[in-house]
Amino acid sequence: MTNIQIRKYRDEDAEIVKEIFTLGVSEHVPSTFTHMLKQPPTQMVLMCMFCALMASSKSFLLPILAITLLLAGARQLVVYSFNKYIETSLRSDLHNISETYLKQRDSCFWVAESDGRVVGTVCCVPTETAPGCLELKRMSVRRSYRGMGIAKALCRTVADFTRDRGYAAVILHTSVVATDGQKLYEHMGYQKIREFVLPEVWAKIMNFTLFEYRLDLQQEGKRH
């Protein structure tokens, strides 16, 4: 039986936390690319491009080659966007976790350990957009350790911390492609309260939607 422990972050965890975060975010590249291909504007552009090249070249080879190159470029754009997000995060709040979370009021950062190895992370901070709530962030569990209840334990840790600090609810944001995360949060009692598209042009083109979830701790307490 694997021994799982949730504890506060320590400075010696810095590199492994960054690695888990980077791997977790990068996992969404394939599903984001697939999501982009399913969008009607993308399919329309590909179809029009194929038909136009087919009509002008009288050959299948040129349209297929052009579409292949276009898709390769589109995937690289997705990879670039995710790498940019990872780079920005590693330079901001994950650059000095102790300063960002452990030394700030009503903020904390936890790691999940399995037999002494850090395999998961989560944190929470106050948010100006939702007074009276703490925001759950940086939830990630190493792929080989999923299905063991680690993410649920991390969620409960944040909920308990939030309740102990006198806040009414926990909120979080996740993306349209993070389907496993959505199922987890809904299983833990979170309710989807809002959805919106990022302001970046690429996000609007791909209809890359973010969901905001809320866990009302009073209602959550009544269920238990």
Side-chain angles (χ1 to χ4, degrees), residues 32 56 64 74 99 125:
T32 301
S56 62
I64 291 175
E99 288 291 336
V125 292

Side-chain angles (χ1 to χ4, degrees), residues 153-167:
L154 290 168
C155 280
R156 284 192 290 268
T157 298
V158 171
D160 291 343
F161 179 88
T162 304
R163 188 184 297 106
D164 290 344
R165 294 302 189 279
Y167 287 84

Side-chain angles (χ1 to χ4, degrees), residues 55-68:
S56 62
S57 67
K58 309 296 184 183
S59 168
F60 276 106
L61 183 59
L62 180 59
I64 291 175
L65 179 60
I67 294 297
T68 301

Side-chain angles (χ1 to χ4, degrees), residues 12-221:
E12 56 264 34
D13 302 323
E15 293 307 312
I16 189 65
V17 165
K18 292 176 182 178
E19 178 187 340
I20 291 172
F21 168 75
T22 300
L23 291 173
V25 173
S26 299
E27 285 178 7
H28 294 302
V29 168
S31 56
T32 301
F33 182 61
T34 301
H35 173 76
M36 180 184 70
L37 294 181
K38 291 179 179 178
Q39 300 309 303
T42 303
Q43 296 178 358
M44 184 179 300
V45 168
L46 293 175
M47 181 62 70
C48 290
M49 183 177 178
F50 183 86
C51 292
L53 290 173
M54 183 70 182
S56 62
S57 67
K58 309 296 184 183
S59 168
F60 276 106
L61 183 59
L62 180 59
I64 291 175
L65 179 60
I67 294 297
T68 301
L69 291 175
L70 181 63
L71 291 177
R75 192 180 190 283
Q76 283 304 114
L77 175 62
V78 173
V79 172
Y80 171 81
S81 299
F82 273 81
N83 286 343
K84 195 69 176 176
Y85 171 71
I86 291 170
E87 180 184 337
T88 300
S89 300
L90 294 179
R91 286 203 315 259
S92 56
D93 65 300
L94 295 179
H95 175 68
N96 191 330
I97 293 173
S98 292
E99 288 291 336
T100 306
Y101 294 103
L102 300 186
K103 295 183 180 180
Q104 303 301 317
R105 180 184 177 92
D106 296 337
S107 300
C108 198
F109 197 108
W110 299 268
V111 299
E113 275 189 341
S114 175
D115 297 325
R117 184 189 186 195
V118 174
V119 297
T121 68
V122 75
C123 67
C124 66
V125 292
T127 171
E128 295 180 358
T129 60
C133 303
L134 292 185
E135 181 179 5
L136 181 152
K137 301 177 64 178
R138 306 310 187 204
M139 166 72 82
S140 189
V141 176
R142 193 178 288 275
R143 180 184 288 274
S144 57
Y145 287 84
R146 292 172 191 170
M148 300 179 181
I150 296 174
K152 293 178 182 177
L154 290 168
C155 280
R156 284 192 290 268
T157 298
V158 171
D160 291 343
F161 179 88
T162 304
R163 188 184 297 106
D164 290 344
R165 294 302 189 279
Y167 287 84
V170 182
I171 65 166
L172 63 86
H173 298 92
T174 190
S175 73
V176 63
V177 300
T179 53
D180 288 343
Q182 294 168 38
K183 292 176 184 177
L184 166 69
Y185 300 132
E186 290 169 6
H187 177 78
M188 298 298 293
Y190 283 81
Q191 300 292 320
K192 188 188 299 182
I193 60 172
R194 186 168 70 101
E195 58 182 78
F196 56 97
V197 176
L198 291 171
E200 288 82 357
V201 174
W202 68 267
K204 293 180 179 178
I205 293 174
M206 294 192 302
N207 192 29
F208 193 79
T209 308
L210 293 185
F211 301 132
E212 182 174 330
Y213 280 85
R214 177 185 172 104
L215 176 67
D216 188 301
L217 294 176
Q218 293 181 341
Q219 293 182 5
E220 191 259 356

